[in-house]
Amino acid sequence: MSFIEIENLTKDFGEFRALNGVSFQLEEGKTAAIIGSSGCGKSTFLRCLNMLETPTEARLRIGDKEVRFSNGQTLGKEREAFGFRREMAMVFQSFDLFPHMTALQNVALAPNKVRKLPRKQAEQQALQLLDRMGLRAKAGSYPTQLSGGQQQRVAIARALAMEPKVLLFDEATSALDPELVGEVLDVMKVLAQDGRTMIVVTHELHFARDVADVLIYFDKGQIAEIGPPAELLANPKTDRLKSFLTRYNHVLAN
Amino acid sequence: MGYEYDWSVVLEPSLWLDAIYITLVYGLGTTFVGLVLGLVLGLILISSFAPGRWLVQLFIGVFRCTPALIQIVWFYYAFPIVLGVNLPAWLAAGCGLTFYMAAFSAEIFRGGVQSIDARQWSACRSLCMSYWQTMRYVILPQTFRRMTPAIVNQAIIQFKNTSLLSVVAVHDLMYTANTLTAQTYRPLEVLTFAAVIYMLMIWPLASLTNRYERRTNERLL
Ligand SMILES: Nc1ncnc2c1ncn2[C@@H]1O[C@H](COP(=O)(O)OP(=O)(O)OP(=O)(O)O)[C@@H](O)[C@H]1O
Ligand SMILES: [Mg+2]
C-alpha cells in the first residue's frame, strides 16, 4: 500500500470542472513533480489535497489518515479532516509570510498555537530551522526586510516547523528574481535528498528531472502522463506534452 | 467701531476644570467602550451567522445614518419611557455616543479585516490554525495597524461630539460655555476659549497616534 493515495479527485467551480478524476499514488520519501500549462489545475490539485478548497469528490489518504468527499461535502468528522491536514504543509508562490512578525515569530507561531509547544521551545526549534535554511542571522528581521529568496526560505522553515509528513510546493520559485531561484531550489533539493515526501508544482524542468522520482503532466484537470522524469521528458507520448516541452527545449539542452 | 474683547469673563479655573474633566471622561469612555463594542459587532458582521449579520447591519444603519444629537436625546428621554427602564442619567447620556462610535468602528473594522490578503488565511489554514487563532494572531494585528488612521479620525469626531451632550444637561465644556455666555453675553470670548481647550485636548491625542503609526509603517511598508 502506497504512502499517499489519491483517488478520483474531482473539483468543480460552479459549472467548470477544474479537476476531473485525478488518481495517483506516491511512496514515502519520494518526490513528485507536477508540470502543466497555466490553468490546467495544478494549484487546485494541491489546494484540494491540503483542503484549502473542498474537493467535490475524492478519497484521499496519507499514511493511516483518510478523508472522503462527496457532492462537495467532507464526509466524516471535523477531527478526522484536521488529522489529515496535519500531515502536510504547503509552501506558496507568494510566500505569504505574516508581515507583522519577525522571521522567528513566523516560524514559531503555529508550533506554539497548534502543536502546543511552549513558546521558548517553539522559538528554539524555529531558530534551528532558520539556521538550516542559512537564515540564523535574519531571525529578527521582518519579511519586508528580506529578499524574496530569503522570505521563501522562511516560509519553508515555517512549513517544516509543523513537522508534516508531506510537503507541498506550489510554484515556490515563480515569484523570485532569476538570481534568487537557485537558493530556494537548493533547499528543496536537500529536503528531497533527506527523504522528505514532497509534491512539487514547478516550471523548473531541471529540478523536475534531477530531483523528482515521478513526473506528472497535468492537462485540463487530468493526469495526461505520469512516469520517471527522464523518460517523460525524453519521450513524451502525447502531442500536448510534446508541444509543452518544445517551449522548454532550450532549458533542458544545457 | 471695533469690538472690545473682554477675556476676564473666561478666567474662572474651577468652572472650566470640572468641565474639562467631564468632557475627557465622556470622550475617552464612549470612544473606548464604543470601540470594543464595534469590534464585537464587526466580528459578527464578518461571521457566517446570517441572522447576526442582519441585526448588526440594522444597528449600523440606524446609528450611522441618524444625527448623533437625536440619538443622545432619544436615549436620554425616550429610552426610559419606551422601554420602561430607568438608566442613571450619566449612563443614558453616554449611550447614544457610545453606539454611534460602535456603528462607525464596526464598519471600519469590517473593511480592515476584509482588506487583508486572503492568502494570509490560506497560509494559516495550511498550518492547521483555527479560525480564531488566525483571527487573533494574524488577521487582527494587521487589521488594527491598518485601521488606526480611520479610528483616530473617528475618535476625534467623537471627542467633539461630546459637545452635543450639553443638550441633556451634562455639565461638559459646551454646557459650561453656554451657561457662561448666557450670564456674560460674551459668546465670542467664551466660545473661542472653549475651542482652544478642545484643541489642546485633542491635538496631542492625534499626534501621538500619528507618531505610533509612522513607527509601525516603517516596518510594514
Ligand atoms: N476559486 C475559483 N473559482 C473559480 N474558478 C477557479 C477558482 N480557482 C481556480 N479556478 C479555475 O480553475 C482552473 C485551474 O486553476 P489553477 O489555479 O489550479 O491552475 P494552475 O494550473 O495552477 O495554473 P497556473 O500555472 O497559472 O498557476 C483555472 O481555469 C481557474 O480559472
Ligand atoms: Mg497555480
Side-chain angles (χ1 to χ4, degrees):
Chain A
M1 211 165 64
S2 297
F3 183 58
I4 301 180
E5 203 176 347
I6 292 156
E7 202 178 282
N8 189 33
L9 173 50
T10 300
K11 176 66 183 175
D12 294 333
F13 290 113
E15 295 287 288
F16 177 71
R17 179 150 288 192
L19 292 176
N20 190 1
V22 174
S23 302
F24 90 97
Q25 305 181 346
L26 188 66
E27 301 301 328
E28 187 158 19
K30 301 291 185 192
T31 295
I34 299 178
I35 57 173
S37 46
S38 182
C40 68
K42 306 180 296 293
S43 296
T44 306
F45 173 75
L46 286 189
R47 292 176 64 82
C48 281
L49 191 54
N50 201 192
M51 291 179 67
L52 301 177
E53 308 274 1
T54 308
T56 308
E57 306 283 338
R59 189 177 70 82
L60 309 173
R61 186 177 59 75
I62 296 178
D64 56 358
K65 305 286 193 323
E66 183 175 297
V67 282
R68 289 160 186 270
F69 305 88
S70 181
N71 292 316
Q73 300 285 322
T74 314
L75 305 179
K77 296 193 179 65
E78 173 64 28
R79 201 159 38 81
E80 288 167 11
F82 180 84
F84 176 77
R85 287 198 291 121
R86 234 351 236 99
E87 301 293 307
M88 64 203 123
M90 180 124 112
V91 175
F92 301 88
Q93 178 174 354
S94 45
F95 330 135
D96 302 326
L97 295 178
F98 311 133
H100 59 300
M101 292 185 182
T102 63
L104 189 78
Q105 291 168 332
N106 262 278
V107 179
L109 178 68
N112 178 216
K113 302 304 173 193
V114 181
R115 287 174 56 210
K116 309 290 182 201
L117 278 187
R119 202 170 56 89
K120 276 266 154 6
Q121 217 174 316
E123 287 182 352
Q124 223 161 38
Q125 180 212 24
L127 202 59
Q128 276 167 14
L129 283 168
L130 287 174
D131 196 28
R132 262 172 60 193
M133 297 292 131
L135 291 171
R136 193 186 187 88
K138 299 290 182 186
S141 302
Y142 287 88
T144 47
Q145 300 166 328
L146 300 173
S147 74
Q150 291 169 334
Q151 286 188 57
Q152 192 59 298
R153 283 183 285 149
V154 173
I156 293 172
R158 184 175 68 175
L160 288 172
M162 288 303 284
E163 304 190 335
K165 297 218 176 92
V166 181
L167 280 173
L168 310 174
F169 292 86
D170 191 1
E171 301 198 29
T173 57
S174 294
L176 296 175
D177 291 337
E179 74 270 20
L180 301 177
V181 169
E183 65 187 61
V184 172
L185 288 182
D186 287 346
V187 166
M188 291 167 63
K189 190 169 175 175
V190 169
L191 290 171
Q193 285 164 349
D194 282 353
R196 291 268 170 188
T197 312
M198 318 207 297
I199 302 179
V200 182
V201 169
T202 185
H203 288 296
E204 304 290 334
L205 294 190
H206 269 130
F207 179 85
R209 186 187 59 193
D210 301 340
V211 179
D213 302 289
V214 189
L215 184 61
I216 301 170
Y217 172 61
F218 258 63
D219 188 32
K220 295 182 185 143
Q222 288 181 308
I223 294 181
E225 287 195 50
I226 179 167
E231 203 174 299
L232 233 67
L233 295 174
N235 303 306
K237 293 193 186 60
T238 58
D239 290 338
R240 301 275 298 189
L241 180 53
K242 272 179 206 159
S243 69
F244 178 81
L245 289 177
T246 51
R247 271 179 280 153
Y248 288 92
N249 270 343
H250 61 288
V251 184
L252 288 174
N254 44 52
Chain B
M1 228 185 85
Y3 180 82
E4 274 183 40
Y5 290 93
D6 177 9
W7 292 100
S8 67
V9 299
V10 299
L11 298 176
E12 183 62 60
S14 67
L15 202 73
W16 294 109
L17 282 180
D18 282 351
I20 288 171
Y21 173 74
I22 297 279
T23 293
L24 269 178
V25 167
Y26 273 104
L28 291 174
T30 61
T31 300
F32 182 75
V33 179
L35 255 180
V36 173
L37 187 61
L39 189 80
V40 175
L41 295 180
L43 282 172
I44 298 173
L45 207 54
I46 53 177
S47 77
S48 53
F49 181 57
R53 284 204 311 267
W54 297 329
L55 278 178
V56 173
Q57 274 160 5
L58 181 68
F59 176 94
I60 291 174
V62 169
F63 283 94
R64 270 214 310 180
C65 306
T66 55
L69 180 65
I70 298 178
Q71 290 168 22
I72 290 168
V73 169
W74 201 85
F75 270 94
Y76 198 75
Y77 296 113
F79 200 63
I81 300 169
V82 175
L83 295 181
V85 272
N86 245 327
L87 296 175
W90 65 268
L91 185 60
C95 270
L97 278 183
T98 302
F99 289 174
Y100 187 78
M101 180 76 191
F104 277 93
S105 42
E107 267 303 315
I108 293 170
F109 184 73
R110 181 197 56 75
V113 168
Q114 287 176 348
S115 76
I116 305 290
D117 195 327
R119 290 177 293 195
Q120 293 277 301
W121 285 96
S122 297
C124 290
R125 184 163 163 82
S126 180
L127 294 166
C128 291
M129 291 168 66
S130 68
Y131 177 86
W132 287 111
Q133 286 172 337
T134 305
M135 217 22 148
R136 164 135 186 241
Y137 301 110
V138 176
I139 305 299
L140 288 189
Q142 295 182 61
T143 303
F144 287 150
R145 270 159 219 208
R146 224 172 259 198
M147 66 185 212
T148 314
I151 290 292
V152 169
N153 245 347
Q154 198 55 44
I156 290 173
I157 295 172
Q158 181 78 358
F159 253 87
K160 292 190 290 185
N161 274 351
T162 55
S163 63
L164 301 173
L165 290 171
S166 58
V167 299
V168 292
V170 170
H171 292 202
D172 74 326
L173 264 174
M174 197 63 198
Y175 183 88
T176 305
N178 282 338
T179 316
L180 203 58
T181 303
Q183 289 168 2
T184 62
Y185 305 106
R186 287 280 175 184
L188 211 53
E189 290 88 340
V190 172
L191 289 180
T192 306
F193 187 73
V196 169
I197 296 179
Y198 274 112
M199 204 166 78
L200 289 177
M201 279 194 303
I202 297 171
W203 200 326
L205 224 75
S207 58
L208 205 76
T209 45
N210 276 349
R211 198 167 327 145
Y212 162 80
E213 205 186 309
R214 217 174 310 133
R215 244 197 7 239
T216 52
N217 277 355
E218 273 165 20
R219 222 167 51 199
L220 290 177
L221 297 179

